[in-house]
């Protein structure tokens, strides 16, 4: 019986028990539904074992949308808790757990898979490739991420959630102040997911460098591909730091080492430094692909080439370099001295310059353009002023002397969300709407989409503008309650109302998907937006092999040149196409990682050893496996092309 006690939630409540029941019922319903409709074989053949970059991308998308709901519920609970003074909806312990999981879920398990969805789906199509460089590694990347996400969320119902903040600073995160296994989940689940992300970074860099279509030099790549390339270079440099950091934290908690202790030679500030050496580049891993999406959308609906292509590329390169030399601004108040603060204050303000270049390039693209206000374009236009406001408050925070007033207040919370929501979330929704017809063969409803964008923006402003004021008035973040005398109640209630309005906008987004599935026309062709880059030159839906004939590129906007200037994109003839076979190896190996991680969380060492052996066996199996893929015959290709009404014989 003692063995099973360790799996109990240490701080139970009615909400947690209710969530347990609802999660159990939902999982039971899914299993029953799949069994009833006899879909287990289909799921295994077409999805679980797939190495198709498009299907893997869609699985990332589904995971991101699920985690958006999960993190959104956390946000609503926090805003309700703070909507009135001395509220008892959440006690301090549960509030700590909610804001900790909210941060991790939204950054690592919502935003990261959302951008990785775009990486997977778009990069091979935009560069004229048939798949990524390493298809099985791509599948392994997803399943490692998925298992890390699943392990982290399992903490909610088994053992208890982490409660030391999304940054998990030591000594708060050590065994003395965080005695439950929640922080173990944090260390190990993020480690597993992070390994998957690092593998993805290597894969996409290789894909972009080695698999571009003939004629596509680096300076002829679409802007999204450029942004993805730079973001993945940052991944390869930043995520090893996170990997080492989490390994050190795990050893402190499980094996009694002293990397981050306050005595015995440890240094708690080492965690803060290494965390933000990874953490600030992570912001740009999210924001640069979002910038790439905005560039594609604005250029398409302004009916103009993107203004300042070379300066856009150069600004992203500069941003990627600066992202690694600004980390100390996250703790100006923690005692590193005036000289260090001054240096990092200057670098932090300087990073606004290349960002400003991009803002002006988008504005110059719009200038004298024949603008079409579709839903993706509306999100893109709304993004510019909202993101600029967030950037200006970032420059305020960059002033190290003034940061003593701003630090650890709601002003900082408002700034961060003011950058991430217009910068990343709007881009994800705009990009999803833009590429939805390419993925599924029908368009999302424009009227509902525009209502969603406006309602979301109203809710956003109501949610976060009051936080700037309460932050300047002294309201600290991470505090679960406040007194009536503090005077924060009215503005916090406004924030709660704004959060509710944002929640309505996300419900509208879901309704739009449902409505469009039922009523949208399927007769939209392959290029419903009159777009400009290669992904729109193939069929809808996209065949397994992407392109029957590899395109030959002559400019940054190859498909536009084909339509408007008569450039011949497909000059070759159809030949048999080599494709990789599906494989269950990535999924099985990731399952071993999941059980390994769970056993590490609870220090069940026999299971740790067995699963570690299982992981090594999977690696050995793949090393000796002889699988040279398969060929799609010319006849099969011609039949598929004819079926998709675009045969080139």
């Amino acid at each position: 019986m003692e063995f099973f006690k360790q799996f109990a939630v240490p701080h139970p409540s009615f909400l947690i028990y209710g969530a347990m029941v609802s999660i159990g019922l939902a999982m039971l319903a899914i299993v029953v539904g799949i069994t009833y409709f006899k879909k287990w074989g289909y799921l295994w053949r077409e999805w679980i074992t797939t190495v198709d970059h498009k299907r893997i991308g869609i699985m990332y998308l589904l995971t991101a949308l699920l985690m958006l709901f999960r993190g959104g519920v956390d946000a609503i609970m926090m805003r309700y808790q703070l909507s009135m003074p001395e509220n008892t909806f959440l006690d301090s312990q549960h509030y700590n757990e909610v804001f900790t999981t909210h941060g991790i879920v939204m950054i690592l398990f919502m935003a990261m898979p959302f951008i990785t969805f775009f990486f997977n789906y778009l990069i091979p199509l935009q560069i004229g490739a048939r798949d990524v460089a390493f298809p099985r590694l791509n599948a392994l990347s997803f399943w490692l991420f998925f298992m890390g996400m699943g392990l982290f969320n399992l903490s909610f119902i088994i053992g208890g959630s982490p409660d030391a903040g999304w940054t998990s600073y030591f000594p708060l995160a050590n065994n003395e102040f965080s005695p439950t296994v929640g922080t173990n989940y944090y260390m190990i689940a993020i480690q597993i997911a992070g390994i998957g992300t690092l593998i993805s970074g290597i894969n996409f860099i290789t894909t972009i460098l080695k698999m571009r279509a003939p004629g596509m030099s680096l300076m002829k790549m679409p802007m999204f591909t450029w942004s993805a390339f730079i973001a993945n270079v940052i991944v390869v440099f930043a995520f090893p730091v996170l990997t080492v950091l989490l390994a050190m934290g795990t050893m402190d908690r499980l094996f009694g080492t002293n990397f981050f202790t306050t005595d015995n030679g440890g240094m708690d500030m080492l965690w803060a430094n290494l965390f933000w050496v990874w953490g600030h580049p992570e912001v740009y891993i999210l924001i640069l692909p979002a910038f790439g999406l905005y560039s594609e959308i604005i250029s398409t609906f302004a009916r103009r080439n993107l203004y300042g292509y070379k300066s856009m590329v150069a600004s992203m390169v500069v941003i990627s370099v600066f992202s690694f030399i600004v980390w100390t601004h996250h703790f100006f108040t923690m005692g590193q001295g005036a000289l260090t603060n001054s240096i990092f204050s200057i670098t932090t303000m300087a990073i606004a310059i290349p960002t400003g270049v991009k803002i002006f390039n988008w504005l110059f693209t719009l200038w004298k353009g024949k603008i079409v206000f579709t839903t993706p374009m509306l999100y893109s236009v709304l993004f510019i002023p909202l993101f600029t406001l967030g950037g200006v408050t970032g420059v305020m925070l960059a002033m190290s002397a003034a940061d003593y007033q701003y630090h650890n207040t709601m002003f900082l919370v408002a700034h961060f969300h003011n950058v991430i929501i217009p910068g990343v979330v709007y881009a994800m929704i705009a990009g999803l709407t833009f590429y939805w017809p390419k993925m599924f063969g029908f368009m999302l409803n424009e009227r509902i989409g525009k209502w969603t964008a406006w309602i979301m923006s109203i809710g956003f402003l109501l949610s976060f503008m009051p936080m700037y004021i309460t932050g300047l008035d002294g309201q600290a973040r991470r505090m679960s309650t406040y007194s009536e005398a503090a005077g924060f109640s009215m503005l916090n209630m406004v924030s709660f109302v704004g959060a509710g309005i944002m929640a309505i906008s996300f419900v509208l987004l879901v309704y739009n998907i449902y409505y469009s599935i039922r009523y949208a026309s399927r007769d939209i062709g392959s290029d419903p937006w009159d777009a400009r880059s290669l992904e729109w030159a193939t069929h809808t839906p996209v065949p397994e092999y992407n392109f029957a004939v590899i395109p030959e590129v002559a400019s940054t906007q190859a498909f536009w040149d084909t339509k408007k200037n008569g450039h011949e994109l497909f000059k070759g003839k159809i030949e048999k196409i080599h494709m990789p076979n599906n494989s269950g190896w990535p999924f099985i190996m990731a399952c071993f990682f999941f059980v390994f991680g769970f056993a590490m969380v609870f220090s069940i060492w026999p299971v740790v050893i067995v699963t570690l052996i299982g992981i090594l066996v999977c690696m050995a199996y793949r090393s000796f496996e002889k699988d040279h893929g398969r060929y799609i015959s010319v006849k099969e290709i011609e039949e598929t092309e004819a079926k998709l009404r675009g045969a080139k014989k």
Side-chain angles (χ1 to χ4, degrees), residues 149-165:
M149 178 275 296
L151 184 62
F152 184 87
N153 282 281
L154 190 65
S155 67
F156 188 62
I157 57 175
I158 300 178
S161 297
D163 57 3

Side-chain angles (χ1 to χ4, degrees), residues 88-365:
T88 58
F89 175 68
L90 296 173
D91 61 32
S92 59
Q93 174 60 34
H94 289 125
Y95 187 82
N96 290 347
E97 293 175 6
V98 168
F99 78 68
T100 298
T101 56
H102 171 74
I104 291 296
V105 164
M106 286 304 211
I107 295 294
L108 289 177
F109 299 134
M110 186 282 288
M112 280 299 291
F114 226 136
I115 66 162
T116 312
F117 148 64
F118 287 110
F119 291 165
N120 268 281
Y121 204 94
L122 293 182
I123 288 174
L125 293 174
Q126 286 204 331
I127 65 174
R130 293 199 166 106
D131 209 318
V132 296
F134 309 114
R136 289 198 182 182
L137 272 184
N138 197 25
L140 179 62
S141 299
F142 169 74
W143 288 115
L144 285 175
F145 158 78
F146 185 85
M147 295 302 173
M149 178 275 296
L151 184 62
F152 184 87
N153 282 281
L154 190 65
S155 67
F156 188 62
I157 57 175
I158 300 178
S161 297
D163 57 3
W166 89 274
T167 55
S168 203
Y169 283 157
F170 281 76
L172 181 61
N174 67 20
N175 288 325
E176 179 183 357
F177 297 108
S178 296
T180 69
V181 297
T183 303
N184 293 353
Y185 274 112
Y186 176 102
M187 299 289 172
I188 296 164
I190 297 175
Q191 180 82 290
I192 293 171
I195 293 170
T197 301
L198 180 58
I199 294 171
S200 284
I202 296 168
N203 203 349
F204 290 125
I205 290 172
T206 308
T207 301
I208 292 169
L209 290 179
K210 305 300 289 185
M211 298 183 69
R212 300 190 307 278
M216 184 179 283
S217 64
L218 288 175
M219 295 308 291
K220 289 180 182 175
M221 294 195 306
M223 193 53 60
F224 175 76
T225 301
W226 255 116
S227 69
F229 175 69
I230 295 170
N232 282 291
V233 169
I234 299 175
V235 165
V236 169
F237 279 95
F239 267 78
V241 178
L242 180 66
T243 301
V244 172
L245 177 69
L246 293 170
M248 293 164 70
T250 301
M251 286 189 284
D252 266 20
R253 288 187 57 84
L254 297 185
F255 305 117
T257 56
N258 292 284
F259 292 112
F260 307 120
T261 57
T262 53
D263 52 13
N264 296 322
M267 184 186 298
D268 54 340
M269 280 301 295
L270 178 62
W271 174 278
N273 276 274
L274 291 178
F275 182 90
W276 288 114
V277 167
W278 162 79
H280 202 82
E282 165 67 13
V283 173
Y284 292 98
I285 292 168
L286 300 177
I287 206 73
L288 289 179
F291 287 171
L293 286 170
Y294 285 130
S295 297
E296 300 288 344
I297 291 167
I298 289 173
S299 176
T300 296
F301 295 113
R303 304 299 187 223
R304 293 188 60 190
N305 286 357
L306 186 67
Y307 182 89
Y309 178 94
K310 291 181 180 179
S311 63
M312 291 289 264
V313 173
S315 65
M316 286 193 292
V317 173
V318 172
I319 287 171
S320 70
V321 173
F322 270 72
S323 71
F324 284 96
I325 54 175
V326 298
W327 79 87
T328 299
H329 71 222
H330 290 277
F331 41 88
F332 278 145
T333 63
M334 294 186 187
Q336 62 263 31
L339 178 61
T340 301
N341 279 359
S342 298
I343 292 169
F344 281 90
S345 181
I346 292 167
T347 57
T348 302
M349 286 187 272
I351 206 169
I353 297 171
T355 307
V357 169
K358 303 183 81 60
I359 296 289
F360 280 107
N361 280 352
W362 289 319
L363 292 175
F364 287 138
T365 303

Side-chain angles (χ1 to χ4, degrees), residues 9-30:
V9 175
H11 307 287
S13 71
F14 174 77
L15 288 174
I16 291 177
Y17 287 136
M20 287 180 179
V21 172
S22 61
I23 291 170
L25 290 175
M27 292 180 66
L28 180 63
I30 291 170

Side-chain angles (χ1 to χ4, degrees), residues 591-634:
C591 288
F592 275 117
F593 265 99
F594 179 87
V595 180
F596 169 80
F598 183 82
M600 283 285 289
V601 166
F602 291 96
S603 302
I604 309 172
W605 303 118
V607 178
V608 169
I609 294 169
V610 170
T611 51
L612 186 58
I613 292 171
I615 291 168
L616 294 174
V617 168
C618 285
M619 295 172 68
Y621 169 79
R622 177 56 184 150
S623 297
F624 292 103
E625 183 185 17
K626 292 183 179 179
D627 185 346
H628 302 296
R630 59 193 170 83
Y631 283 95
I632 302 176
S633 69
V634 173

